[in-house]
Amino acid sequence: MRFDLVDLQLFIAVAEARSITGGADRAHLALASASARIKGLEAALGTALVKRGRRGIELTAAGESLLDHARIILHHVDAMRGDLAAYAGGTRATIRLLTNTSGLSEYLPKTLAVFLGLHPHLSIDVEERESADIAQAIVSGTADLGLAAEHALPDTIERIAFSDDRLVLVAARGDQLAKRRQVDFHEVTGRDFIGLTAANALHAHVAGHAARLGARLRFRARLNNFHSIGQMVAAGIGIAVMPEVAARRCAESMRIGLVRIRDPWASRKLVICARSFKALPRPAQQLVEHLRKVAQH
């Protein structure tokens, strides 16, 4: 069974374009060459990978399986290239970590600083995404490691408990809402909100749940950190949704109150996640072990 990276890149392009012609264009190959390579893959594997039709192609079950593996292989090849290129800059390897907003703003900065201090020849690229996007990236093999809300993960993803990550409402202390212990989110969707910027993963998460209630949240201001949001809330400009750990930190110096959100989506558990922890590159395994120790204290 012999095929090369060009075959895999072509197959991904064909699968995404749902067309051998379109895939050939994306892979910068002549149509005849692309068609021959696909047939060669099928011959090497001993099974059909695509069903050809007038409107393009559809993947067979074997084709779907190959697509999954091809994406993983090319992801690891890209990671290898990046790690080897890093030698020229004196860095041995780069760990790529996807995280939701809570992880990025509340847990990772100090934790990663300690880790990098202990491992001077490693570097970390952190990208913020919604937990559902993190799960999809790990399942598809385009990411190795994530820090995400557990409820968004399918059973096929391995996970290690990291922290509780409850979301709460915050309101100015003079607001009647601040006197309540808990609230259903539909009760407040008509209020003015202070939120994170539209590109932020937590903003998309909260706005999505509001949309499921048939509401579109009205934002008086959008800022890029919870401290600034807390100041706006304390001034009575609007209410906000933020991680409880961030809200309690803000409440130490601001006149705001915390209100529990009864909706299930607000009670989250943050977990470290991967397709397989044993299959991770050694540097990523070292980071997982560090995060595991942090989670235990």
Side-chain angles (χ1 to χ4, degrees):
M1 187 182 299
R2 299 181 61 184
F3 43 87
D4 56 27
L5 293 180
V6 175
D7 290 334
L8 298 183
Q9 291 169 331
L10 170 64
F11 187 76
I12 292 173
V14 168
E16 291 177 346
R18 296 293 172 178
S19 162
I20 294 178
T21 300
D25 288 340
R26 292 187 184 189
H28 306 292
L29 293 172
L31 177 58
S33 176
S35 182
R37 281 181 174 272
I38 296 296
K39 290 179 180 178
L41 272 175
E42 293 178 319
L45 295 170
T47 186
L49 299 173
V50 299
K51 296 177 182 178
R52 296 163 175 81
R54 293 182 179 179
R55 297 184 178 181
I57 61 96
E58 293 291 334
L59 298 184
T60 64
E64 293 285 359
S65 179
L66 176 61
L67 177 62
D68 185 38
H69 287 292
R71 283 171 170 163
I72 294 171
I73 290 169
L74 291 180
H75 168 67
H76 285 302
V77 169
D78 288 340
M80 178 187 69
R81 287 171 175 159
D83 289 346
L84 292 176
Y87 275 101
T91 301
R92 189 176 66 211
T94 298
I95 305 166
R96 294 163 183 84
L97 175 65
L98 303 183
T99 178
N100 68 1
T101 302
S102 295
L104 182 62
S105 65
E106 301 304 316
Y107 300 105
L108 289 179
K110 290 183 179 179
T111 299
L112 295 184
V114 172
F115 177 78
L116 291 173
L118 295 171
H119 301 276
H121 297 296
L122 299 182
S123 61
I124 302 176
D125 285 343
V126 182
E127 182 179 347
E128 180 187 356
R129 295 204 196 169
E130 281 193 79
S131 292
D133 292 338
I134 294 172
Q136 184 177 5
I138 289 177
V139 168
S140 68
T142 58
D144 292 326
L145 189 62
L147 191 62
E150 186 174 29
H151 68 80
L153 306 181
D155 293 339
T156 53
I157 292 181
E158 296 183 2
R159 76 282 312 270
I160 298 170
F162 183 77
S163 174
D164 289 335
D165 186 38
R166 175 180 293 279
L167 297 176
V168 298
L169 277 170
V170 292
R173 287 186 188 171
D175 193 309
Q176 289 296 315
L177 179 62
K179 299 176 183 179
R180 298 183 58 176
R181 294 184 58 187
Q182 56 187 358
V183 66
D184 291 319
F185 194 59
H186 73 83
E187 298 179 62
V188 299
T189 54
R191 295 282 302 266
D192 288 337
F193 276 78
I194 309 298
L196 293 163
T197 55
N200 186 277
L202 180 58
H203 168 85
H205 179 68
V206 175
H209 284 289
R212 292 183 183 93
L213 295 172
R216 182 176 181 179
L217 300 184
R218 183 172 63 247
F219 288 92
R220 292 290 309 281
R222 291 178 179 174
L223 306 162
N224 63 6
N225 63 79
F226 293 123
H227 184 81
S228 298
I229 289 174
Q231 290 179 317
M232 283 278 191
V233 171
I237 306 302
I239 63 175
V241 176
M242 64 173 70
E244 185 174 14
V245 62
R248 292 196 180 281
R249 186 181 67 250
C250 290
E252 292 176 358
S253 59
M254 304 174 193
R255 295 183 58 80
I256 59 175
L258 281 62
V259 185
R260 180 178 178 178
I261 302 172
R262 278 193 289 251
D263 302 57
W265 56 263
S267 298
R268 312 187 299 179
K269 290 188 179 298
L270 201 60
V271 297
I272 310 158
C273 53
R275 283 173 64 105
S276 170
F277 290 114
K278 290 183 179 179
L280 289 174
R282 177 59 182 162
Q285 290 184 5
Q286 291 175 306
L287 177 57
V288 168
E289 185 58 30
H290 179 76
L291 293 174
R292 188 202 300 265
K293 290 179 180 178
V294 170
Q296 293 174 348
H297 297 285

